[in-house]
Amino acid sequence: MSNVHAELNYSVDNGRQIEYYFYEPDPDQALNPPGTESHVMQIRDGWPLAETFSLDREGFEIKPFAGGFMDYGDEEAIETVFYPQVVDFVKQHTGARRVEVFDRTIRRRLPADLSQQTEEKRPAVLLVHSDYTVDSGPARVRDILPDEAENLLGGRVAFYNVWKPLFETVEELPLACCDAQTSTEADMLLMNLRYRERTGEIYVMRHSPDHKWWYFPRMTPSQALLLKTYDSKTDGRARFMGHSAFEDPSSPPNALKRQSIELRTMAFF
């Protein structure tokens, strides 16, 4: 097993609203950014237990992803060929009756310069977070499917991220997943995402020594992680799952630069 110890960037609950800006804020704005408290955590190699992880228990699973799609530079092909593959993948592994892909992001090592980032091309996120909150999950359904939302929200709704390498084996900046059984509601801190035209919200996480972290070193394009980022059910199953990219100390000096795609989906049961 290739367990490692690495820094993960947690956030601090200091009584002030945590915010992240996707533009340069007013210089007079008092900032309270996330990820200001780093902790070295053990991150365990999940491959020996890959068949045992559960979306409803730990909050993540890793599965083979067939299809061989590689045309990530073609917007139309992504939506007409790749999206249906993702929909089938999520249905197969969750039992959902309907799945909608509503967002995608290609992640690479990018400059910190915000002008080089777009909604669809961003750097890897070196921040412990979960993508949706109790409020922003239902709000996203209303945004994407306004005419059907109230009816759909009457049943179970869950959001799943599909995370996979683009072209090559991941040799650096892998993704770490926090076992949802080892985090609590109190660990989740609300953070505002400030865009010029809107404000969203996600959870960042405060540190706990109880958190148990896993990763899957050297993932290939024929494999994909499923991450649960929201679940409307409150029956004890995982609802939110913290995750973060991290600097892997076992990466080779000449490691290939990580290129991955992350698709956000909403699933209805």
Side-chain angles (χ1 to χ4, degrees):
M1 293 179 68
S2 53
N3 298 342
V4 295
H5 286 81
E7 283 192 356
L8 294 175
N9 296 316
Y10 285 93
S11 299
V12 178
D13 185 4
N14 57 13
R16 295 166 53 205
Q17 179 62 58
I18 302 171
E19 296 185 309
Y20 183 85
Y21 286 80
F22 287 93
Y23 60 93
E24 291 294 340
D26 187 299
D28 295 330
Q29 178 71 40
L31 302 180
N32 189 34
T36 56
E37 187 174 82
S38 295
H39 289 266
V40 174
M41 304 293 287
Q42 183 183 43
I43 306 175
R44 296 166 173 84
D45 181 349
W47 283 119
L49 299 174
E51 297 300 318
T52 70
F53 293 111
S54 164
L55 287 163
D56 285 343
R57 188 176 59 246
E58 291 88 2
F60 62 91
E61 296 179 9
I62 190 162
K63 300 292 182 183
F65 192 101
F69 184 85
M70 290 287 178
D71 201 2
Y72 295 106
D74 186 328
E75 299 285 323
E76 182 177 357
I78 289 175
E79 295 186 6
T80 60
V81 178
F82 188 49
Y83 278 15
Q85 294 178 2
V86 171
V87 167
D88 289 345
F89 178 76
V90 175
K91 283 183 175 180
Q92 176 186 354
H93 295 297
T94 67
R97 63 175 177 84
R98 176 179 174 182
V99 173
E100 299 285 344
V101 180
F102 66 91
D103 185 41
R104 71 174 183 269
T105 304
I106 290 175
R107 297 196 187 276
R108 299 182 170 97
R109 277 200 186 267
L110 291 175
D113 180 2
L114 293 177
S115 68
Q116 301 298 308
Q117 301 180 31
T118 69
E119 291 243 12
E120 291 185 3
K121 292 184 179 179
R122 294 181 184 165
V125 179
L126 295 161
L127 172 69
V128 180
H129 69 288
S130 187
D131 294 23
Y132 288 90
T133 70
V134 169
D135 292 329
S136 66
R140 200 70 172 125
V141 177
R142 295 185 179 100
D143 289 342
I144 301 298
L145 299 168
D147 297 334
E148 304 174 77
E150 297 315 313
N151 182 53
L152 292 169
L153 290 169
R156 181 189 172 208
V157 181
F159 285 19
Y160 301 100
N161 287 6
V162 177
W163 189 99
K164 66 184 297 295
L166 287 186
F167 308 112
E168 296 161 322
T169 298
V170 173
E171 295 185 349
E172 56 128 37
L173 288 179
L175 194 71
C177 301
C178 183
D179 181 343
Q181 299 172 109
T182 67
S183 63
T184 68
E185 287 185 18
D187 294 335
M188 299 292 176
L189 308 176
L190 190 146
M191 178 176 82
N192 285 334
L193 298 175
R194 298 289 189 185
Y195 302 88
R196 290 194 183 278
E197 70 283 0
R198 64 184 175 89
T199 298
E201 63 180 41
I202 68 170
Y203 286 131
V204 290
M205 290 177 65
R206 76 175 98 212
H207 171 258
S208 168
D210 295 332
H211 293 164
K212 189 173 185 179
W213 287 90
W214 298 91
Y215 84 124
F216 298 91
R218 298 190 62 79
M219 279 181 64
T220 71
S222 63
Q223 298 158 337
L225 270 166
L226 264 171
L227 317 175
K228 188 195 287 188
T229 57
Y230 169 78
D231 199 321
S232 63
K233 279 290 187 183
T234 57
D235 57 1
R237 72 184 73 197
R239 298 190 70 199
F240 309 96
M241 193 276 294
H243 52 283
S244 176
F246 70 99
E247 297 283 1
D248 184 351
S250 68
S251 292
N254 59 344
L256 293 170
K257 299 302 182 187
R258 190 251 267 186
Q259 299 184 77
S260 62
I261 189 166
E262 172 185 307
L263 302 104
R264 293 186 176 96
T265 73
M266 51 182 68
F268 305 98
F269 296 83

